[in-house]
């Protein structure tokens, strides 16, 4: 039996040379714009925004199919240097990496979907 797999994509920016205030600007951008852009997006299972302030900021995407991930990745790569994250940190992504999700376990407390929750 073949188990369907989910397809992931990581896009990471370095914050080591980012301007002062970049971390808060990224938090605000996610809360005010990006979260709603990706909520309900066709082909996307979920997206998580992660950050280590002063080190890196990333978007972690999980797609329902190879095609959905490949289409998104192709479009993103074409405009990566002009993406909102790139503009806020002052440089393009240092990593764009596709990967496979082996499994996801949802804990008792479930997912919190709010960017300010």
């Amino acid at each position: 039996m073949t188990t369907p797999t989910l397809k992931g994509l990581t896009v990471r920016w370095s914050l080591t040379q980012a301007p002062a205030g970049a971390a808060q600007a990224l938090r605000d951008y996610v809360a005010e714009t990006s979260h709603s852009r990706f909520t309900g997006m066709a082909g996307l299972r979920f997206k998580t925004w992660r950050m280590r302030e002063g080190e890196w900021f990333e978007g972690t995407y999980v797609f329902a199919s190879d095609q959905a991930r490949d289409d998104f990745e192709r479009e993103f790569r074409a405009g990566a240097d002009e993406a909102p994250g790139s503009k806020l940190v002052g440089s393009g992504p240092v990593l764009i990496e596709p990967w496979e999700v082996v499994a996801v376990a949802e804990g008792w407390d479930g997912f919190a979907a709010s960017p300010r929750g």
Side-chain angles (χ1 to χ4, degrees):
M1 178 171 103
T2 303
T3 303
T5 59
L6 300 173
K7 302 302 178 174
L9 182 71
T10 296
V11 178
R12 180 177 282 194
W13 288 265
S14 173
L15 297 180
T16 60
Q17 302 296 315
Q24 188 57 51
L26 289 162
R27 287 184 195 97
D28 293 343
Y29 169 71
V30 169
E32 296 166 7
T33 304
S34 192
H35 187 269
S36 63
R37 174 180 174 223
F38 289 97
T39 298
M41 180 179 174
L44 182 70
R45 294 284 186 185
F46 63 89
K47 177 178 181 182
T48 302
W49 294 262
R50 301 179 346 126
M51 180 166 41
R52 286 186 57 97
E53 194 166 336
E55 294 182 33
W56 51 262
F57 173 79
E58 75 177 27
T60 304
Y61 306 80
V62 175
F63 293 93
S65 68
D66 286 326
Q67 186 67 51
R69 179 186 62 195
D70 294 349
D71 290 348
F72 180 84
E73 182 181 358
R74 184 175 37 259
E75 184 178 325
F76 184 84
R77 281 184 186 273
D81 289 339
E82 296 301 314
S86 299
K87 290 180 179 181
L88 291 170
V89 304
S91 61
V94 296
L95 175 71
I96 301 175
E97 180 179 58
W99 41 273
E100 176 184 329
V101 175
V102 175
V104 174
E106 183 174 356
W108 178 262
D109 291 322
F111 287 105
S114 172
R116 299 255 182 179

